[in-house]
Amino acid sequence: MTNKQLGSHEISELLSKNLKDSPLKEVFINFELRQKYQIALQQALDLTGFSHFSNDIFIGEMNDKGMIRLFTRQASIISRLKNKLPSLLHCFRESGFPVMEIQLKVLPKSGLEPDLASQEEVKPDPIALSAAQFQSWEELLRTTDPESPTYQAIELLLHNAKKVSNKPA
């Protein structure tokens, strides 16, 4: 029997139905408990009218004092759920879980996630105006009412065009 075969034999022993002496027993028990809590959370969200958030909220830390932490990536979800905490607690208790406290937390952004705020407003670099275009805009500016928003827009356009034309190529 090679080492590779022995390794897979040892793994199969760890994963056997008889987990009483296995070091993985606690891992499996915690995983099953977390799954049951997640199901209870989904049922609680359904009962409180927040089922549309069920894919965005998940169970985090749980302790033996009856505290669970719910995580999400969106702060707006937390602000909405704060008013429903008593209902969520009641739903967990009705499901047979001794939950005494629910904490809501926003996960920090990961470097792997796209930053939606920076993607929303990507402005292209301004294009330099030719001398004739610049002169036409200046003439239009002279004939426009200085109190109008159009005047301010043309002024800004000419100001930015001067910045672009002054940049070294």
Side-chain angles (χ1 to χ4, degrees), residues 63-79:
N63 68 24
D64 56 355
K65 296 176 183 166
M67 186 280 300
I68 62 171
R69 213 171 259 152
L70 303 180
F71 288 104
T72 183
R73 293 196 186 331
Q74 300 175 23
S76 61
I77 292 175
I78 288 181
S79 63

Side-chain angles (χ1 to χ4, degrees), residues 57-120:
I57 303 170
F58 55 94
I59 302 288
E61 179 185 345
M62 304 180 309
N63 68 24
D64 56 355
K65 296 176 183 166
M67 186 280 300
I68 62 171
R69 213 171 259 152
L70 303 180
F71 288 104
T72 183
R73 293 196 186 331
Q74 300 175 23
S76 61
I77 292 175
I78 288 181
S79 63
R80 291 179 182 180
L81 278 181
K82 281 185 179 180
N83 295 332
K84 295 293 183 179
L85 283 180
S87 299
L88 291 175
L89 275 170
H90 177 74
C91 290
F92 273 110
R93 290 178 187 152
E94 289 291 311
S95 297
F97 296 103
V99 177
M100 305 306 280
E101 177 187 4
I102 298 176
Q103 295 180 357
L104 304 170
K105 298 287 180 182
V106 178
L107 288 172
K109 289 193 179 210
S110 151
L112 302 175
E113 295 175 24
D115 186 10
L116 298 178
S118 66
Q119 289 180 356
E120 287 175 2

Side-chain angles (χ1 to χ4, degrees), residues 17-80:
K17 291 181 181 178
N18 186 5
L19 289 174
K20 70 177 181 178
D21 297 326
S22 172
L24 291 177
K25 179 180 180 179
E26 189 174 335
V27 172
F28 284 123
I29 290 171
N30 286 337
F31 178 77
E32 289 173 351
L33 182 62
R34 187 171 297 279
Q35 290 298 102
K36 290 176 183 176
Y37 268 91
Q38 191 68 38
I39 291 168
L41 172 63
Q42 289 174 354
Q43 291 171 348
L45 291 172
D46 286 343
L47 290 172
T48 56
F50 285 95
S51 60
H52 53 285
F53 291 136
S54 62
N55 292 331
D56 299 317
I57 303 170
F58 55 94
I59 302 288
E61 179 185 345
M62 304 180 309
N63 68 24
D64 56 355
K65 296 176 183 166
M67 186 280 300
I68 62 171
R69 213 171 259 152
L70 303 180
F71 288 104
T72 183
R73 293 196 186 331
Q74 300 175 23
S76 61
I77 292 175
I78 288 181
S79 63
R80 291 179 182 180

